[in-house]
Amino acid sequence: MQQFSMKVIGRIHSDFSTKFGVPRQSGLVDALESTIVFEPEYRSADALRGLEGFSHVWLVWVFNQALRETWSPTVRPPRLGGNTRMGVFATRSPFRPNPIALSCVRLEGIRQTAEHGAVLCIRGADLMDGTPILDIKPYIPYADCHPEAVGGFASVPAGEMLQVEIPQELLEKIPEGRRAALRGVLAQDPRPHYHNDPERVYGFGFAGLEVKFSVAGDTLTVREILPE
């Protein structure tokens, strides 16, 4: 069997320390800000020449927290309740023959830093902190945008938008610049789609904090904000 080796060109720095809470697709929460820091070998300004003219980029990355020796031809997408099996190539499941992923994100800018050289500032990413990046490609509207495309069983955004309630004393624990992003993440309903227990308290890491919440009906209430 022919095999290819890949090189990690950089890593993303995001607010998510675990996969729980990460938006299910890129672009769902535009307020989420992240940066991409290149590995020393790839910190070349020439490699980014012309990229500033694009508004969006494709990230090719690795599901490094979901590595397996084997694969299955079918998986159970969470949005279908976790019980219905679909072909792995009809899903974006991380459990694939090759653990690679593709995300389209907004390119906010390219920042020059003394320590890391050129750093990409992006919005709307669906990646955990530290995720390895294999490649970056410009998003080209005339080729990449297909308004007539059909989305199969994923034709509409997953889940319903929730009303988010954060008590003021807890809201003040969140850095002001992260509040809109956190609200956006919570409104997407981070729970598995087959969970519907109003008494259960969930928690995930965000921006160095542990956010604990519960959901009753269409209202999500933040219960605690703790140091992570």
Side-chain angles (χ1 to χ4, degrees), residues 25-41:
Q25 301 292 341
S26 61
L28 293 179
V29 184
D30 188 67
L32 282 172
E33 299 178 350
S34 308
T35 58
I36 294 176
V37 175
F38 291 93
E39 295 294 294
E41 182 180 354

Side-chain angles (χ1 to χ4, degrees), residues 139-222:
Y139 175 93
I140 302 175
Y142 75 82
D144 295 341
C145 180
H146 300 279
E148 77 285 1
V150 177
F153 66 86
S155 59
V156 296
E160 298 179 356
M161 296 291 285
L162 299 176
Q163 179 70 34
V164 177
E165 295 185 353
I166 307 177
Q168 184 62 31
E169 65 273 17
L170 298 181
L171 184 64
E172 292 175 356
K173 296 183 179 182
I174 304 166
E176 188 172 356
R178 299 288 203 278
R179 293 175 188 176
L182 178 59
R183 282 189 179 275
V185 169
L186 294 173
Q188 292 287 332
D189 194 352
R191 301 173 302 165
H193 286 295
Y194 45 88
H195 283 203
N196 190 25
D197 181 0
E199 301 299 321
R200 182 165 180 172
V201 176
Y202 300 84
F204 66 95
F206 180 83
L209 301 168
E210 184 179 10
V211 180
K212 294 191 174 184
F213 67 92
S214 60
V215 180
D218 62 355
T219 301
L220 181 150
T221 303
V222 174

Side-chain angles (χ1 to χ4, degrees), residues 6 8 11 19 61-72 93-101 128 130-132 134:
M6 297 284 179
V8 175
R11 294 183 184 273
K19 65 180 181 179
W61 50 280
V62 181
F63 287 115
N64 62 312
Q65 298 297 315
L67 300 179
R68 292 184 175 184
E69 292 295 327
T70 59
W71 73 286
S72 170
S93 168
F95 306 114
R96 325 181 65 78
N98 294 303
I100 55 175
M128 284 176 52
T131 296
L134 297 178

Side-chain angles (χ1 to χ4, degrees), residues 85-148:
R85 285 195 170 272
M86 302 296 286
V88 65
F89 299 130
T91 75
R92 297 190 178 188
S93 168
F95 306 114
R96 325 181 65 78
N98 294 303
I100 55 175
L102 184 67
S103 294
C104 183
V105 299
R106 180 187 301 275
L107 178 61
E108 280 288 283
I110 303 173
R111 187 174 75 241
Q112 294 293 330
T113 69
E115 184 178 4
H116 301 298
V119 172
L120 299 189
C121 302
I122 60 175
R123 297 176 75 97
D126 56 339
L127 288 74
M128 284 176 52
D129 185 58
T131 296
I133 306 295
L134 297 178
D135 201 4
I136 297 167
K137 300 177 185 293
Y139 175 93
I140 302 175
Y142 75 82
D144 295 341
C145 180
H146 300 279
E148 77 285 1

